[in-house]
Amino acid sequence: MSAETAVAPEVFDIRRIRADFPILHQLVHGRPLVYLDNAATTQKPRAVIEAIEHFYARDNSNIHRGLHTLSERATFAYERARGKVRRFLNAAVNDEIVFTRGTTEALNLVAWTWGRKNVREGDEILISTMEHHSNIVPWQMLCEERGAKLKIVPIADTGELLFDEYLRMLSPRTKIVSIVQMSNALGTINPVKEIIEAAHAAGAVAVVDGAQGAPHLKVDVRALDADFYAFSGHKLFGPTGIGALYGKAALLEASPPFQGGGDMIASVTFEKTTYNKIPHKFEAGTPDIAGAIGLGAAIDYLESIGFDPRAAHERDLLEYATRQLSRIDGLTIVGTAPRKGSVVSFTLDGVHPHDIGTILDKQGVAVRAGHHCAQPLMDRLCLPATARASFAFYNTRDEVDALVGAIHRVFEVFR
């Protein structure tokens, strides 16, 4: 244990927290697992695993249609989970929460419903250089179909959004501004509230990609005045295949359905179909019922810990990791914006990031290496890829030390 580890502030009981995550207690290649790939997906507490098991063992049934007890239980649990998401985001009513497969589907939903109805030839959609592919491609597809133009707000070399450039690029033609709250590749935290205010002043609708923001930042969609906010369950310590879209009720009600099928209808004849009320209008077919219940359990778990202790611990990890990694000769941290979340991307002189990831894995350290689904950002930075360590509240300073030791082993292999 390092001296800095010995004096690290204990903001909460990390031993108790880690005991809640069974996957963390295993050996990988004969070494204790150090899981630092949380920006890709997070691990699941026992409470989430048990909630899913409980549903399939006791309540498994379809929702909204059955009159029997199991269906009523499943419907109650599913809709209660929607209420937990509403509370987590501080939305006004449950009707503003649409369950989706994740952030990607949520952003596509906005593009292909509100976007398709309202974007016309000559209109403009603004995104930034640091966007994930899921917040680029749907808007590209929409622009191509509607004859609109996709405009890209530039960033500084530090990874910080050039806000003055953003203000300059807004115009009466701007129809949508879609921006990431926290970059998955750099950790940059964007001034989303100010971005939304400026978008609204220009008459545009504001969409927030909260895939990384929701797990690490306090989200209040009403305080942000976001028109749409998307996030994924699996990055929020919940199951894969589930996520949510928040949309202002008036915008959702004015949008056409996303997909056709069961449960999204009020009535069907061969001549005409009328649609269900929101949010069911956007949830065609049998949804991921167990996933929604698991997401609700994840929110309960996070709220039982409290936001401030989690955030303080993650800040400490980020600051400690940044200090320790900065001391390594030949290591360059990519992304140094003043406001960052718990992500440290880096390169090593003379070593491809894929080799970094492979050698670290042999020492039990799991990081991500690649373009992080942000190829335009890598092009802007003139990099093919980076290695990325991303932290969650169950990580420790000792694990940062293990990462540093493993990086030194990479240099030993290549020198």
Side-chain angles (χ1 to χ4, degrees):
M1 181 178 290
S2 70
E4 289 188 74
T5 302
V7 299
E10 284 293 333
V11 293
F12 65 162
D13 187 349
I14 187 63
R15 181 174 299 182
R16 181 183 64 78
I17 293 292
R18 289 180 65 83
D20 291 335
F21 292 83
I23 202 171
L24 298 178
H25 308 283
Q26 62 176 298
L27 300 179
V28 171
H29 299 299
R31 297 171 181 267
L33 170 64
V34 176
Y35 185 80
L36 302 178
D37 194 18
N38 295 287
T41 195
T42 52
Q43 301 303 343
K44 320 308 173 193
R46 199 179 303 278
V48 169
I49 298 168
E50 290 177 349
I52 296 170
E53 180 184 17
H54 178 87
F55 170 74
Y56 281 124
R58 182 176 180 270
D59 296 337
N60 179 47
S61 185
N62 216 323
I63 58 171
H64 296 156
R65 306 166 181 83
L67 299 177
H68 54 81
T69 300
L70 265 58
S71 180
E72 290 178 352
R73 281 187 203 156
T75 300
F76 176 77
Y78 180 79
E79 292 301 331
R80 186 171 60 175
R82 194 190 308 276
K84 292 175 183 178
V85 174
R86 178 204 60 74
R87 187 181 70 227
F88 180 73
L89 298 179
N90 196 31
V93 293
N94 290 2
D95 291 351
E96 294 181 322
I97 305 299
V98 180
F99 281 124
T100 66
R101 288 188 299 146
T103 306
T104 299
E105 185 173 82
L107 294 170
N108 274 276
L109 191 158
V110 178
W112 295 109
T113 60
W114 193 93
R116 244 179 167 178
K117 182 177 180 181
N118 293 282
V119 173
R120 298 285 181 269
E121 184 174 358
D123 287 340
E124 296 175 350
I125 297 174
L126 263 62
I127 61 174
S128 82
T129 305
M130 71 181 81
E131 301 305 323
H132 189 283
H133 295 165
S134 62
N135 200 28
I136 299 173
V137 181
W139 307 119
Q140 281 181 328
M141 296 167 71
L142 178 62
C143 286
E144 186 174 344
E145 180 185 294
R146 310 305 284 177
K149 184 176 182 180
L150 188 66
K151 299 182 73 173
I152 315 301
V153 182
I155 61 171
D157 291 341
T158 58
E160 192 175 9
L161 186 83
L162 295 177
F163 195 79
D164 288 343
E165 285 297 306
Y166 165 64
L167 295 179
R168 187 185 62 77
M169 294 171 69
L170 285 167
S171 80
R173 293 188 298 274
T174 307
K175 209 69 172 180
I176 297 172
V177 172
S178 189
I179 202 80
V180 66
Q181 189 174 26
M182 174 178 153
S183 164
N184 71 309
L186 304 175
T188 303
I189 297 174
N190 283 317
V192 168
K193 185 174 175 60
E194 291 78 4
I195 289 170
I196 292 172
E197 286 177 355
H200 287 169
V205 162
V207 184
V208 181
D209 174 355
Q212 300 297 329
H216 302 289
L217 307 173
K218 186 170 283 185
V219 180
D220 184 332
V221 292
R222 281 190 283 178
L224 291 174
D225 199 18
D227 296 301
F228 296 100
Y229 186 100
F231 77 94
S232 296
H234 73 99
K235 297 183 192 295
L236 195 73
F237 313 94
T240 56
I242 188 71
L245 172 71
Y246 159 81
K248 287 180 177 175
L251 295 175
L252 291 177
E253 286 169 348
S255 299
F258 182 39
Q259 297 175 322
D263 213 26
M264 52 77 68
I265 56 89
S267 68
V268 178
T269 68
F270 284 118
E271 289 73 33
K272 183 177 174 58
T273 294
T274 56
Y275 305 124
N276 207 340
K277 62 181 183 179
I278 63 168
H280 309 295
K281 179 171 71 174
F282 300 103
E283 296 179 1
T286 299
D288 185 353
I289 305 166
I293 292 168
L295 174 57
I299 290 172
D300 285 343
Y301 178 79
L302 292 174
E303 291 179 344
S304 73
I305 298 172
F307 175 81
D308 290 338
R310 287 192 291 117
H313 185 71
E314 289 184 1
R315 275 197 305 274
D316 177 71
L317 287 174
L318 176 64
E319 292 168 3
Y320 182 67
T322 302
R323 282 200 307 276
Q324 299 305 94
L325 294 175
S326 297
R327 293 171 179 166
I328 300 176
D329 289 337
L331 185 150
T332 301
I333 293 177
V334 180
T336 55
R339 292 193 67 217
K340 279 188 62 174
S342 53
V343 170
V344 182
S345 280
F346 60 93
T347 59
L348 301 183
D349 291 349
V351 186
H352 193 280
H354 287 175
D355 292 326
I356 299 172
T358 300
I359 296 173
L360 294 186
D361 175 63
K362 296 298 182 186
Q363 298 172 85
V365 180
V367 300
R368 181 53 60 99
H371 53 61
H372 314 300
C373 296
Q375 283 185 297
L377 173 61
M378 294 296 127
D379 291 343
R380 161 63 179 83
L381 300 171
C382 300
L383 292 170
T386 70
R388 181 189 69 191
S390 51
F391 306 100
F393 59 87
Y394 46 61
N395 290 126
T396 67
R397 282 189 170 200
D398 284 343
E399 291 184 314
V400 174
D401 293 338
L403 169 67
V404 170
I407 290 173
H408 284 298
R409 175 60 183 154
V410 174
F411 280 129
E412 289 172 8
V413 171
F414 278 86
R415 287 175 177 169

